Amino acid sequence: MSTLEIKDLHVSIDTEQGTKEILKGVSLTIKTGQTHAIMGPNGSGKSTLASTIAGHPRYKVTSGTITLDGEDVLAMTVDQRARAGVFLAMQYPVEVPGVSMTNFLRTAKTAIDGEAPKLRTWTKDVKAAMAQLRIDADFAERNVNEGFSGGEKKRVEILQLELFKPKFAILDETDSGLDVDALKVVSEGVNRAHETGNMGTLLITHYTRILRYIKPDFVHVFVDGQVVEEGGPELADRLEDEGYDRYATGAGAATIAAAAQA
């Protein structure tokens, strides 16, 4: 079992108005085999947490730690984090002109594992994964995400997840922009990757609809850069009914946070 541990994490960014603190003391522990859902309103810091774990240079860690099995993640470069087992499914996957899907996937797998996969087995695995995610076989020869629809880009993110087999998958609003059918296909892919028990999942979302297909073990509510409430799947059901209004005031959030720590 592997553990990704975040302790008292404070993160800031530089803006035209000066330095702005986004994360204000986030602590979270994820183990392989677990699914954690992070929910909260826009601007609460959810995507900042994902980007910080992955190593985006815009986000400056001012205090706190992130460790993977005791190793300092913050001391690792982005590629070292990937090789250590951290995977980020991006909210807005980028296009990579001039790089075919076939070359990208095999090159990335080789870099992560330290050796090239056997071609015959690899080709079979890629074709099988693409078929399960309902990605047309012709996409293998197209450039990465170039001209893909939003839903197609999200399926390609989960294709990478299934093929790369990380220890921890961070899914940053993977459900955004998906219709019902695409949401089910993407969720099935995440569940297949999770079934081995060798992967932990951090699922970031605004809405509960994806949680109908990917069942969380734990739900964490983010407001103003802090975790203000934690619970099981029932917490997501309550958010579906009540929304985030009860967390709207700073005093309310502080009260909830204090109660959670008591």
Side-chain angles (χ1 to χ4, degrees):
M1 178 181 291
S2 289
T3 302
L4 181 67
E5 189 169 18
I6 302 161
K7 286 186 178 181
D8 195 24
L9 188 67
H10 291 252
V11 175
S12 298
I13 60 171
D14 293 329
T15 70
E16 293 181 356
Q17 290 74 40
T19 301
K20 179 179 180 181
E21 187 176 38
I22 306 296
L23 300 185
K24 305 173 182 178
V26 174
S27 295
L28 188 65
T29 301
I30 310 164
K31 297 182 182 295
T32 47
Q34 296 178 345
T35 297
H36 292 246
I38 291 183
M39 305 184 70
N42 282 327
S44 57
K46 304 184 301 297
S47 292
T48 294
L49 176 62
S51 296
T52 301
I53 296 171
H56 195 298
R58 183 187 181 200
Y59 301 94
K60 311 297 183 185
V61 176
T62 55
S63 65
T65 60
I66 304 175
T67 58
L68 200 170
D69 294 335
E71 296 293 323
D72 184 2
V73 172
L74 298 177
M76 300 177 187
T77 59
V78 174
D79 60 303
Q80 288 171 338
R81 297 180 197 205
R83 285 195 293 271
V86 176
F87 175 88
L88 172 64
M90 292 184 285
Q91 183 177 355
Y92 304 109
V94 298
E95 296 184 2
V96 188
V99 179
S100 72
M101 286 286 299
T102 297
N103 287 338
F104 165 70
L105 292 171
R106 193 159 190 263
T107 300
K109 181 66 171 176
T110 300
I112 291 168
D113 292 352
E115 61 180 1
K118 294 181 180 178
L119 190 57
R120 175 178 287 184
T121 304
W122 174 249
T123 301
K124 181 180 177 181
D125 290 346
V126 172
K127 287 181 177 178
M130 289 179 69
Q132 287 179 311
L133 288 163
R134 301 182 192 175
I135 300 172
D136 193 291
D138 292 343
F139 276 54
E141 301 308 318
R142 292 177 59 178
N143 293 334
V144 178
N145 290 329
E146 192 172 31
F148 292 13
S149 69
E152 289 165 346
K153 289 179 180 179
K154 295 300 178 75
R155 293 187 198 199
V156 168
E157 293 289 285
I158 304 308
L159 173 66
Q160 296 168 48
L161 171 65
E162 291 204 66
L163 293 172
F164 299 162
K165 305 184 187 308
K167 292 179 181 177
F168 293 97
I170 304 159
L171 310 181
D172 189 7
E173 297 193 31
T174 298
D175 53 335
S176 64
L178 298 182
D179 60 27
V180 173
D181 290 336
L183 179 64
K184 290 175 67 174
V185 170
V186 163
S187 298
E188 288 167 359
V190 175
N191 288 332
R192 280 193 300 272
H194 198 78
E195 281 171 1
T196 63
N198 296 323
M199 185 182 83
T201 303
L202 183 62
L203 174 63
I204 295 170
T205 183
H206 290 296
Y207 310 108
T208 59
R209 63 177 194 151
I210 194 171
L211 302 183
R212 299 169 191 164
Y213 305 106
I214 301 173
K215 301 298 184 183
D217 300 297
F218 306 94
V219 176
H220 312 268
V221 183
F222 255 45
V223 175
D224 192 28
Q226 296 175 301
V227 177
V228 297
E229 190 166 9
E230 299 177 306
E234 71 284 349
L235 178 54
D237 295 333
R238 200 172 81 223
L239 291 171
E240 174 83 356
D241 296 332
E242 300 176 3
Y244 299 108
D245 287 348
R246 65 193 297 260
Y247 308 106
T249 66
T255 300
I256 292 169
Q261 294 172 358

